[in-house]
Amino acid sequence: MATLADLAQMVFAGNEPGVREKVQALLNDGVDPREIINEGLIGGMNIVGPLFKSGEMFVPEVLISARAMKSGMEMVKPLIADADKPKTGKILIGTVKGDLHDIGKNLVSMMLESAGFEVVNMGVDISPATFVQAIKENQPDIVALSALLTTTMPLMEETIKVFQEEGMREDFKVIVGGAPVTADFARTIGADGFAPDGASAAELCRKLLA
Amino acid sequence: MAELTSRERVLRALNHQEADRVPIDIGGIAMLTTMHRDAYANLKNHLGYHNDQTTISYFPSQTVLPDEFIRKRFHADCYPLWLNPASNWKMEIHQETDGSTWYLDEWGIKWKCPADGLYFDPVGHPLKDCTMDDIDRFPWPDPRDPGRVAGLKEKAKDLYENTDYALVMHGALGNGIYVPVQWLIGYEDFFVNLMLKPDLVKVLLDKIVEYHIGQWDAILDQVGKYVNVVVLSDDLGTQHYPIMNPKKYREIIKPAQAKIAKFIKSKADVKIVYHCDGAIYDFLPDMIENGFDAWNPVQVTADGMDDTARLKREFGDKLVFWGAGCDAQFVLSKKTPVEIRAEVKRRVNDLAAGGGLILASIHNIQRDVPAENMVAFYDALYEFGTAAYRK
């Protein structure tokens, strides 16, 4: 009989067919889909996160775990009524204008989804105006800005300024990240938080919305 | 010690011997120790001279070949040589309505620069989702294309006989080995396939290795006796940690790198400088095992990399540090000339003893670095590099 712990292990191992098999078996056994998500799928990523942070798991391994978890989620989510879906929060994430880098952002995206957040990943090279439009459409709780280059970091400050000018800055929290970004820089530009990696980002978002 | 020529100075450094001063590289590694074209324009303005000549040394990074005035002013010791484009390819830049520009290179990879952007990044991957059959049928460029090396021998001979610069030769594909596989199939797909379809990755790596060996064979036939250094490159670290499990690297990537290094060394008496960014302490012994002589750029701001004294102690007898001049993420663009000088002094003190140091910027200088910082930085390399070996 498949257990939730088995499913978590499959996620940890990045075994997508294994995840789908366990999810099906658990559903067949009548296990509550919410438990499958929380204990099995999110549970598996909860093993990955700390190991990634401590340098014992690496980007390729985390990517396949996140993909396997997502695959399992796609099977289970449709079975949960909207009212019963966990409301951890909605996060809008994008790489700022002039910057095409996205692996780090995508990893953060996946880790946030794995932690139960709803994530709208806008992609790369996103102008302040495009962020504003997306904020109006999505009403996020958190807006996450990514930049890999010292030369595109100033766009983070500019983007936050535009949020202020639009009178929307108080409606959500802003977090920033990327290789050259630091906590000091985040403070200077008026962001609400900074995280150095995907695992920390999930913790930070939980704290900000608590 | 009497003053040496640039070439003698660099060779002494590469052979772990002190010289009259620590050699300096500005633009010798054509896409890694130079400056962005906007930074170059700023520098020329600041120095109060004008020239219409801006030679782009590597198109994706929009970096320049510094002119002779700059090399002399700042005592640079290295000069780059690179291949011609492939005979059957022509640069065609396309402009989109959103202001971005793009082109396809000779491998079919699409490179894009966003509107108001500074460089081109690979965004179109011709072997995305490929099968083994697709790999077989792919129109792999010919490493023996004579057009790529036409005129190279004459140029190298001229530089060798008429200048005293140490000559640095570059190959194809940005000198990368596993990174071009990412360009061909996509960054994320590469990482996923590394885990789930390693055989596919190995076949692609084999193709790249085959190309590089053919290319270096052709290159070194022409210039092997004139050039001192060749460049190889593969980033293995992020800001905070290795990009992949070192075990996975050793199983799949390292043998490919080793093959190319071994071939180059068997073909010509040249040193290999290997470019690798990020938090890569774990890979330094592997670089040495691979036969890489020097490591560029020594990104001191990445985790575990700041203690350059420790890096020298542990690896300095076997690995030459090529770069290391100044923290490029938090100091060079953001601090004052006084602080930049202090940073350069520290790095020179940590790394110069016994040779094995060639000073350069840590990656290309970007346009957000004020020109007065650039001048302070380059002048500090010379000042402290000279003091380091003064007896």
Side-chain angles (χ1 to χ4, degrees):
Chain A
M1 224 178 87
T3 65
L4 293 163
D6 290 340
L7 174 56
Q9 279 303 307
M10 285 295 171
V11 169
F12 166 62
N15 184 339
E16 189 179 333
V19 162
R20 297 183 73 83
E21 191 201 304
K22 295 290 176 200
V23 165
Q24 193 57 60
L26 288 162
L27 287 171
N28 292 345
D29 286 340
V31 177
D32 185 332
R34 282 170 299 177
E35 269 189 69
I36 295 178
I37 290 182
N38 289 333
E39 311 271 322
L41 297 172
I42 294 180
M45 290 308 289
N46 284 343
I47 308 172
V48 172
L51 291 175
F52 184 34
K53 217 172 141 177
S54 67
E56 290 160 84
M57 276 182 88
F58 303 85
V59 166
E61 291 146 349
V62 174
L63 272 172
I64 60 168
S65 286
R67 284 181 174 215
M69 187 255 186
K70 198 165 178 165
S71 189
M73 279 290 226
E74 279 159 11
M75 290 171 74
V76 184
K77 257 197 174 150
L79 306 174
I80 302 180
D82 273 351
D84 293 335
K85 284 202 174 108
K87 299 261 184 289
T88 334
K90 190 176 196 179
I91 303 176
L92 188 75
I93 187 169
T95 302
V96 297
K97 181 148 177 51
D99 198 325
L100 298 181
H101 295 94
D102 68 353
I103 289 207
K105 166 188 67 65
N106 290 349
L107 261 172
V108 167
S109 227
M110 287 183 225
M111 300 296 284
L112 291 173
E113 273 179 331
S114 308
F117 291 96
E118 187 188 343
V119 179
V120 177
N121 187 341
M122 295 184 64
V124 298
D125 189 24
I126 307 295
S127 68
T130 311
F131 269 118
V132 165
Q133 188 56 38
I135 288 165
K136 289 180 177 162
E137 282 164 13
N138 289 280
Q139 310 282 317
D141 301 294
I142 296 178
V143 174
L145 307 176
S146 175
L148 185 78
L149 308 166
T150 56
T151 42
T152 49
M153 277 164 69
L155 265 302
M156 289 180 158
E157 187 169 10
E158 196 181 307
T159 304
I160 292 176
K161 275 208 178 88
V162 169
F163 295 161
Q164 279 157 349
E165 285 160 14
E166 291 284 325
M168 55 171 40
R169 176 66 182 94
E170 307 306 311
D171 299 342
F172 46 82
K173 302 287 185 195
V174 174
I175 63 173
V176 293
V181 180
T182 59
D184 273 344
F185 176 76
R187 261 193 298 275
T188 314
I189 64 170
D192 296 296
F194 154 80
D197 57 58
S200 315
E203 274 171 49
L204 171 66
C205 289
R206 267 194 283 266
K207 226 170 62 179
L208 286 173
L209 298 182
Chain B
M1 188 183 293
E3 198 182 334
L4 302 174
T5 65
S6 286
R7 196 169 299 152
E8 288 165 343
R9 190 176 292 130
V10 168
L11 284 171
R12 285 189 73 89
L14 289 169
N15 287 311
H16 298 275
Q17 297 166 309
E18 293 189 1
D20 53 342
R21 61 169 172 82
V22 180
I24 292 169
D25 177 16
I26 306 174
I29 307 183
M31 68 289 288
L32 296 166
T33 57
T34 171
M35 58 198 84
H36 186 267
R37 53 171 160 73
D38 292 352
Y40 180 50
N42 292 343
L43 181 62
K44 282 191 285 187
N45 269 345
H46 180 81
L47 293 174
Y49 83 99
H50 174 76
N51 77 28
D52 284 324
Q53 154 218 341
T54 298
T55 305
I56 297 290
S57 58
Y58 185 64
F59 199 82
S61 56
Q62 291 293 292
T63 44
V64 302
L65 172 68
D67 58 75
E68 187 67 2
F69 178 84
I70 298 276
R71 267 191 301 275
K72 289 300 178 218
R73 166 68 180 79
F74 296 113
H75 309 277
D77 294 302
C78 305
Y79 195 99
L81 284 155
W82 57 73
L83 294 163
N84 305 320
S87 299
N88 60 355
W89 173 82
K90 218 172 67 144
M91 170 63 87
E92 262 180 59
I93 303 248
H94 303 260
Q95 175 131 43
E96 298 290 335
T97 48
D98 65 1
S100 64
T101 49
W102 61 270
Y103 67 96
L104 292 178
D105 71 13
E106 51 258 83
W107 298 75
I109 299 161
K110 181 179 179 182
W111 295 81
K112 177 179 168 180
C113 180
D116 300 325
L118 296 165
Y119 347 91
F120 289 79
D121 280 299
V123 300
H125 313 288
L127 280 169
K128 187 166 169 60
D129 298 325
C130 64
T131 61
M132 293 290 196
D133 271 339
D134 293 328
I135 296 172
D136 272 332
R137 279 183 268 127
F138 186 73
W140 297 98
D142 174 16
R144 302 254 169 226
D145 169 4
R148 304 239 16 170
V149 296
L152 191 60
K153 183 176 189 171
E154 291 71 23
K155 182 154 193 216
K157 183 169 188 282
D158 179 36
L159 287 163
Y160 181 80
E161 289 172 355
N162 299 318
T163 78
D164 68 5
Y165 290 118
L167 300 180
V168 183
M169 183 68 216
H170 300 74
L173 291 165
N175 312 297
I177 300 149
Y178 94 81
V179 166
V181 176
Q182 293 184 314
W183 297 347
L184 287 167
I185 67 173
Y187 283 99
E188 218 170 289
D189 285 7
F190 172 82
F191 290 129
V192 171
N193 286 330
L194 189 68
M195 303 301 299
L196 301 179
K197 291 186 192 169
D199 288 342
L200 188 84
V201 171
K202 280 181 189 160
V203 166
L204 284 163
L205 273 170
D206 283 346
K207 286 287 186 190
I208 299 290
V209 169
E210 192 186 320
Y211 183 89
H212 274 308
I213 288 181
Q215 187 85 91
W216 282 111
D217 196 26
I219 291 173
L220 294 171
D221 270 341
Q222 298 292 313
V223 305
K225 61 182 179 182
Y226 301 122
V227 304
N228 308 106
V229 190
V230 308
V231 183
L232 295 178
S233 172
D234 260 345
D235 285 335
L236 292 172
T238 71
Q239 184 76 20
H240 303 294
Y241 36 72
I243 193 69
M244 65 181 77
N245 193 325
K247 287 203 191 80
K248 192 66 81 171
Y249 159 79
R250 284 165 199 143
E251 184 200 325
I252 298 187
I253 313 279
K254 185 178 176 181
Q257 297 179 331
K259 244 182 174 161
I260 296 171
K262 191 169 171 199
F263 176 80
I264 288 170
K265 294 281 185 155
S266 73
K267 181 84 185 174
D269 180 20
V270 293
K271 301 289 190 185
I272 298 175
V273 61
Y274 173 67
H275 171 82
C276 192
D277 289 325
I280 51 153
Y281 180 85
D282 292 337
F283 298 105
L284 294 174
D286 299 290
M287 289 185 206
I288 294 167
E289 270 174 36
N290 265 351
F292 300 149
D293 299 284
W295 164 38
N296 164 271
V298 194
Q299 185 189 341
V300 299
T301 46
D303 287 13
M305 303 274 98
D306 182 58
D307 192 347
T308 32
R310 177 194 179 199
L311 294 178
K312 180 76 172 182
R313 259 192 330 268
E314 294 181 4
F315 303 103
D317 56 339
K318 300 228 174 52
L319 204 55
V320 172
F321 298 92
W322 190 320
C326 175
D327 166 335
Q329 285 178 300
F330 307 111
V331 175
L332 194 60
S333 58
K334 300 185 193 315
K335 304 274 178 161
T336 65
V338 168
E339 286 157 302
I340 289 167
R341 281 172 54 78
E343 161 77 356
V344 171
K345 185 176 184 188
R346 177 198 162 185
R347 299 297 172 195
V348 173
N349 281 348
D350 283 353
L351 296 168
L357 174 63
I358 296 172
L359 286 166
S361 54
I362 296 177
H363 226 290
N364 303 306
I365 295 190
Q366 297 301 320
R367 79 160 170 221
D368 61 347
V369 178
E372 69 163 357
N373 286 15
M374 290 177 74
V375 172
F377 167 67
Y378 287 138
D379 281 345
L381 297 184
Y382 180 69
E383 181 187 340
F384 296 116
T386 305
Y389 295 153
R390 194 181 292 135
K391 301 279 182 264

mmCIF file with all atom_site columns, all heavy atoms in Angstrom, chain B residues 187-199:
data_model
loop_
_atom_site.group_PDB
_atom_site.id
_atom_site.type_symbol
_atom_site.label_atom_id
_atom_site.label_alt_id
_atom_site.label_comp_id
_atom_site.label_asym_id
_atom_site.label_entity_id
_atom_site.label_seq_id
_atom_site.pdbx_PDB_ins_code
_atom_site.Cartn_x
_atom_site.Cartn_y
_atom_site.Cartn_z
_atom_site.occupancy
_atom_site.B_iso_or_equiv
_atom_site.pdbx_formal_charge
_atom_site.auth_seq_id
_atom_site.auth_comp_id
_atom_site.auth_asym_id
_atom_site.auth_atom_id
_atom_site.pdbx_PDB_model_num
ATOM 1   N N   . TYR B 1 187 ? 19.009 25.967 -21.124 1.00 0.00 ? 187 TYR B N   1
ATOM 2   C CA  . TYR B 1 187 ? 19.685 25.833 -19.828 1.00 0.00 ? 187 TYR B CA  1
ATOM 3   C C   . TYR B 1 187 ? 18.957 24.856 -18.908 1.00 0.00 ? 187 TYR B C   1
ATOM 4   O O   . TYR B 1 187 ? 19.562 23.945 -18.353 1.00 0.00 ? 187 TYR B O   1
ATOM 5   C CB  . TYR B 1 187 ? 19.771 27.203 -19.133 1.00 0.00 ? 187 TYR B CB  1
ATOM 6   C CG  . TYR B 1 187 ? 20.838 28.115 -19.681 1.00 0.00 ? 187 TYR B CG  1
ATOM 7   C CD1 . TYR B 1 187 ? 20.530 29.118 -20.580 1.00 0.00 ? 187 TYR B CD1 1
ATOM 8   C CD2 . TYR B 1 187 ? 22.164 27.981 -19.279 1.00 0.00 ? 187 TYR B CD2 1
ATOM 9   C CE1 . TYR B 1 187 ? 21.503 29.968 -21.075 1.00 0.00 ? 187 TYR B CE1 1
ATOM 10  C CE2 . TYR B 1 187 ? 23.144 28.821 -19.768 1.00 0.00 ? 187 TYR B CE2 1
ATOM 11  C CZ  . TYR B 1 187 ? 22.806 29.808 -20.673 1.00 0.00 ? 187 TYR B CZ  1
ATOM 12  O OH  . TYR B 1 187 ? 23.791 30.651 -21.165 1.00 0.00 ? 187 TYR B OH  1
ATOM 13  N N   . GLU B 1 188 ? 17.671 25.062 -18.766 1.00 0.00 ? 188 GLU B N   1
ATOM 14  C CA  . GLU B 1 188 ? 16.940 24.219 -17.828 1.00 0.00 ? 188 GLU B CA  1
ATOM 15  C C   . GLU B 1 188 ? 16.895 22.778 -18.324 1.00 0.00 ? 188 GLU B C   1
ATOM 16  O O   . GLU B 1 188 ? 17.095 21.833 -17.546 1.00 0.00 ? 188 GLU B O   1
ATOM 17  C CB  . GLU B 1 188 ? 15.518 24.775 -17.659 1.00 0.00 ? 188 GLU B CB  1
ATOM 18  C CG  . GLU B 1 188 ? 14.995 24.674 -16.255 1.00 0.00 ? 188 GLU B CG  1
ATOM 19  C CD  . GLU B 1 188 ? 13.697 25.428 -16.051 1.00 0.00 ? 188 GLU B CD  1
ATOM 20  O OE1 . GLU B 1 188 ? 13.725 26.665 -16.054 1.00 0.00 ? 188 GLU B OE1 1
ATOM 21  O OE2 . GLU B 1 188 ? 12.665 24.751 -15.867 1.00 0.00 ? 188 GLU B OE2 1
ATOM 22  N N   . ASP B 1 189 ? 16.661 22.618 -19.626 1.00 0.00 ? 189 ASP B N   1
ATOM 23  C CA  . ASP B 1 189 ? 16.609 21.269 -20.192 1.00 0.00 ? 189 ASP B CA  1
ATOM 24  C C   . ASP B 1 189 ? 17.931 20.545 -19.986 1.00 0.00 ? 189 ASP B C   1
ATOM 25  O O   . ASP B 1 189 ? 17.967 19.333 -19.762 1.00 0.00 ? 189 ASP B O   1
ATOM 26  C CB  . ASP B 1 189 ? 16.320 21.328 -21.701 1.00 0.00 ? 189 ASP B CB  1
ATOM 27  C CG  . ASP B 1 189 ? 14.865 21.661 -21.974 1.00 0.00 ? 189 ASP B CG  1
ATOM 28  O OD1 . ASP B 1 189 ? 14.138 21.970 -21.011 1.00 0.00 ? 189 ASP B OD1 1
ATOM 29  O OD2 . ASP B 1 189 ? 14.443 21.615 -23.143 1.00 0.00 ? 189 ASP B OD2 1
ATOM 30  N N   . PHE B 1 190 ? 19.044 21.299 -20.068 1.00 0.00 ? 190 PHE B N   1
ATOM 31  C CA  . PHE B 1 190 ? 20.338 20.668 -19.854 1.00 0.00 ? 190 PHE B CA  1
ATOM 32  C C   . PHE B 1 190 ? 20.407 20.054 -18.464 1.00 0.00 ? 190 PHE B C   1
ATOM 33  O O   . PHE B 1 190 ? 20.813 18.908 -18.284 1.00 0.00 ? 190 PHE B O   1
ATOM 34  C CB  . PHE B 1 190 ? 21.474 21.685 -20.031 1.00 0.00 ? 190 PHE B CB  1
ATOM 35  C CG  . PHE B 1 190 ? 22.811 21.143 -19.635 1.00 0.00 ? 190 PHE B CG  1
ATOM 36  C CD1 . PHE B 1 190 ? 23.546 20.355 -20.513 1.00 0.00 ? 190 PHE B CD1 1
ATOM 37  C CD2 . PHE B 1 190 ? 23.317 21.349 -18.357 1.00 0.00 ? 190 PHE B CD2 1
ATOM 38  C CE1 . PHE B 1 190 ? 24.770 19.818 -20.141 1.00 0.00 ? 190 PHE B CE1 1
ATOM 39  C CE2 . PHE B 1 190 ? 24.538 20.808 -17.972 1.00 0.00 ? 190 PHE B CE2 1
ATOM 40  C CZ  . PHE B 1 190 ? 25.265 20.043 -18.869 1.00 0.00 ? 190 PHE B CZ  1
ATOM 41  N N   . PHE B 1 191 ? 20.010 20.844 -17.466 1.00 0.00 ? 191 PHE B N   1
ATOM 42  C CA  . PHE B 1 191 ? 20.091 20.344 -16.088 1.00 0.00 ? 191 PHE B CA  1
ATOM 43  C C   . PHE B 1 191 ? 19.180 19.139 -15.873 1.00 0.00 ? 191 PHE B C   1
ATOM 44  O O   . PHE B 1 191 ? 19.550 18.178 -15.209 1.00 0.00 ? 191 PHE B O   1
ATOM 45  C CB  . PHE B 1 191 ? 19.742 21.460 -15.101 1.00 0.00 ? 191 PHE B CB  1
ATOM 46  C CG  . PHE B 1 191 ? 20.787 22.531 -15.018 1.00 0.00 ? 191 PHE B CG  1
ATOM 47  C CD1 . PHE B 1 191 ? 20.436 23.869 -15.146 1.00 0.00 ? 191 PHE B CD1 1
ATOM 48  C CD2 . PHE B 1 191 ? 22.116 22.213 -14.805 1.00 0.00 ? 191 PHE B CD2 1
ATOM 49  C CE1 . PHE B 1 191 ? 21.402 24.862 -15.074 1.00 0.00 ? 191 PHE B CE1 1
ATOM 50  C CE2 . PHE B 1 191 ? 23.090 23.200 -14.729 1.00 0.00 ? 191 PHE B CE2 1
ATOM 51  C CZ  . PHE B 1 191 ? 22.727 24.531 -14.864 1.00 0.00 ? 191 PHE B CZ  1
ATOM 52  N N   . VAL B 1 192 ? 17.987 19.209 -16.443 1.00 0.00 ? 192 VAL B N   1
ATOM 53  C CA  . VAL B 1 192 ? 17.051 18.092 -16.288 1.00 0.00 ? 192 VAL B CA  1
ATOM 54  C C   . VAL B 1 192 ? 17.601 16.849 -16.988 1.00 0.00 ? 192 VAL B C   1
ATOM 55  O O   . VAL B 1 192 ? 17.598 15.755 -16.427 1.00 0.00 ? 192 VAL B O   1
ATOM 56  C CB  . VAL B 1 192 ? 15.660 18.477 -16.834 1.00 0.00 ? 192 VAL B CB  1
ATOM 57  C CG1 . VAL B 1 192 ? 14.732 17.276 -16.892 1.00 0.00 ? 192 VAL B CG1 1
ATOM 58  C CG2 . VAL B 1 192 ? 15.035 19.576 -15.983 1.00 0.00 ? 192 VAL B CG2 1
ATOM 59  N N   . ASN B 1 193 ? 18.126 17.026 -18.208 1.00 0.00 ? 193 ASN B N   1
ATOM 60  C CA  . ASN B 1 193 ? 18.664 15.881 -18.948 1.00 0.00 ? 193 ASN B CA  1
ATOM 61  C C   . ASN B 1 193 ? 19.929 15.324 -18.309 1.00 0.00 ? 193 ASN B C   1
ATOM 62  O O   . ASN B 1 193 ? 20.190 14.123 -18.395 1.00 0.00 ? 193 ASN B O   1
ATOM 63  C CB  . ASN B 1 193 ? 18.957 16.266 -20.409 1.00 0.00 ? 193 ASN B CB  1
ATOM 64  C CG  . ASN B 1 193 ? 17.686 16.402 -21.213 1.00 0.00 ? 193 ASN B CG  1
ATOM 65  O OD1 . ASN B 1 193 ? 16.692 15.740 -20.940 1.00 0.00 ? 193 ASN B OD1 1
ATOM 66  N ND2 . ASN B 1 193 ? 17.696 17.274 -22.201 1.00 0.00 ? 193 ASN B ND2 1
ATOM 67  N N   . LEU B 1 194 ? 20.672 16.185 -17.672 1.00 0.00 ? 194 LEU B N   1
ATOM 68  C CA  . LEU B 1 194 ? 21.870 15.717 -16.950 1.00 0.00 ? 194 LEU B CA  1
ATOM 69  C C   . LEU B 1 194 ? 21.473 14.641 -15.937 1.00 0.00 ? 194 LEU B C   1
ATOM 70  O O   . LEU B 1 194 ? 22.179 13.667 -15.722 1.00 0.00 ? 194 LEU B O   1
ATOM 71  C CB  . LEU B 1 194 ? 22.531 16.900 -16.251 1.00 0.00 ? 194 LEU B CB  1
ATOM 72  C CG  . LEU B 1 194 ? 23.900 16.677 -15.610 1.00 0.00 ? 194 LEU B CG  1
ATOM 73  C CD1 . LEU B 1 194 ? 24.963 16.419 -16.663 1.00 0.00 ? 194 LEU B CD1 1
ATOM 74  C CD2 . LEU B 1 194 ? 24.283 17.883 -14.761 1.00 0.00 ? 194 LEU B CD2 1
ATOM 75  N N   . MET B 1 195 ? 20.293 14.849 -15.323 1.00 0.00 ? 195 MET B N   1
ATOM 76  C CA  . MET B 1 195 ? 19.807 13.902 -14.324 1.00 0.00 ? 195 MET B CA  1
ATOM 77  C C   . MET B 1 195 ? 19.066 12.732 -14.962 1.00 0.00 ? 195 MET B C   1
ATOM 78  O O   . MET B 1 195 ? 19.231 11.594 -14.554 1.00 0.00 ? 195 MET B O   1
ATOM 79  C CB  . MET B 1 195 ? 18.849 14.609 -13.351 1.00 0.00 ? 195 MET B CB  1
ATOM 80  C CG  . MET B 1 195 ? 19.431 15.804 -12.629 1.00 0.00 ? 195 MET B CG  1
ATOM 81  S SD  . MET B 1 195 ? 20.879 15.392 -11.636 1.00 0.00 ? 195 MET B SD  1
ATOM 82  C CE  . MET B 1 195 ? 20.188 14.228 -10.488 1.00 0.00 ? 195 MET B CE  1
ATOM 83  N N   . LEU B 1 196 ? 18.194 13.034 -15.945 1.00 0.00 ? 196 LEU B N   1
ATOM 84  C CA  . LEU B 1 196 ? 17.269 12.008 -16.424 1.00 0.00 ? 196 LEU B CA  1
ATOM 85  C C   . LEU B 1 196 ? 17.682 11.369 -17.740 1.00 0.00 ? 196 LEU B C   1
ATOM 86  O O   . LEU B 1 196 ? 17.265 10.260 -18.037 1.00 0.00 ? 196 LEU B O   1
ATOM 87  C CB  . LEU B 1 196 ? 15.869 12.623 -16.578 1.00 0.00 ? 196 LEU B CB  1
ATOM 88  C CG  . LEU B 1 196 ? 15.267 13.212 -15.290 1.00 0.00 ? 196 LEU B CG  1
ATOM 89  C CD1 . LEU B 1 196 ? 13.898 13.814 -15.571 1.00 0.00 ? 196 LEU B CD1 1
ATOM 90  C CD2 . LEU B 1 196 ? 15.168 12.167 -14.207 1.00 0.00 ? 196 LEU B CD2 1
ATOM 91  N N   . LYS B 1 197 ? 18.487 12.068 -18.556 1.00 0.00 ? 197 LYS B N   1
ATOM 92  C CA  . LYS B 1 197 ? 18.913 11.465 -19.832 1.00 0.00 ? 197 LYS B CA  1
ATOM 93  C C   . LYS B 1 197 ? 20.411 11.703 -20.016 1.00 0.00 ? 197 LYS B C   1
ATOM 94  O O   . LYS B 1 197 ? 20.840 12.361 -20.977 1.00 0.00 ? 197 LYS B O   1
ATOM 95  C CB  . LYS B 1 197 ? 18.161 12.116 -21.009 1.00 0.00 ? 197 LYS B CB  1
ATOM 96  C CG  . LYS B 1 197 ? 16.685 11.813 -21.081 1.00 0.00 ? 197 LYS B CG  1
ATOM 97  C CD  . LYS B 1 197 ? 16.113 12.413 -22.371 1.00 0.00 ? 197 LYS B CD  1
ATOM 98  C CE  . LYS B 1 197 ? 14.609 12.390 -22.368 1.00 0.00 ? 197 LYS B CE  1
ATOM 99  N NZ  . LYS B 1 197 ? 14.048 13.199 -23.464 1.00 0.00 ? 197 LYS B NZ  1
ATOM 100 N N   . PRO B 1 198 ? 21.213 11.197 -19.095 1.00 0.00 ? 198 PRO B N   1
ATOM 101 C CA  . PRO B 1 198 ? 22.648 11.496 -19.178 1.00 0.00 ? 198 PRO B CA  1
ATOM 102 C C   . PRO B 1 198 ? 23.283 11.004 -20.479 1.00 0.00 ? 198 PRO B C   1
ATOM 103 O O   . PRO B 1 198 ? 24.247 11.614 -20.952 1.00 0.00 ? 198 PRO B O   1
ATOM 104 C CB  . PRO B 1 198 ? 23.243 10.775 -17.966 1.00 0.00 ? 198 PRO B CB  1
ATOM 105 C CG  . PRO B 1 198 ? 22.209 9.800  -17.523 1.00 0.00 ? 198 PRO B CG  1
ATOM 106 C CD  . PRO B 1 198 ? 20.887 10.328 -17.956 1.00 0.00 ? 198 PRO B CD  1
ATOM 107 N N   . ASP B 1 199 ? 22.744 9.935  -21.068 1.00 0.00 ? 199 ASP B N   1
ATOM 108 C CA  . ASP B 1 199 ? 23.322 9.438  -22.327 1.00 0.00 ? 199 ASP B CA  1
ATOM 109 C C   . ASP B 1 199 ? 23.171 10.459 -23.444 1.00 0.00 ? 199 ASP B C   1
ATOM 110 O O   . ASP B 1 199 ? 24.071 10.616 -24.284 1.00 0.00 ? 199 ASP B O   1
ATOM 111 C CB  . ASP B 1 199 ? 22.665 8.111  -22.733 1.00 0.00 ? 199 ASP B CB  1
ATOM 112 C CG  . ASP B 1 199 ? 23.107 6.968  -21.834 1.00 0.00 ? 199 ASP B CG  1
ATOM 113 O OD1 . ASP B 1 199 ? 24.160 7.140  -21.155 1.00 0.00 ? 199 ASP B OD1 1
ATOM 114 O OD2 . ASP B 1 199 ? 22.431 5.930  -21.777 1.00 0.00 ? 199 ASP B OD2 1
#
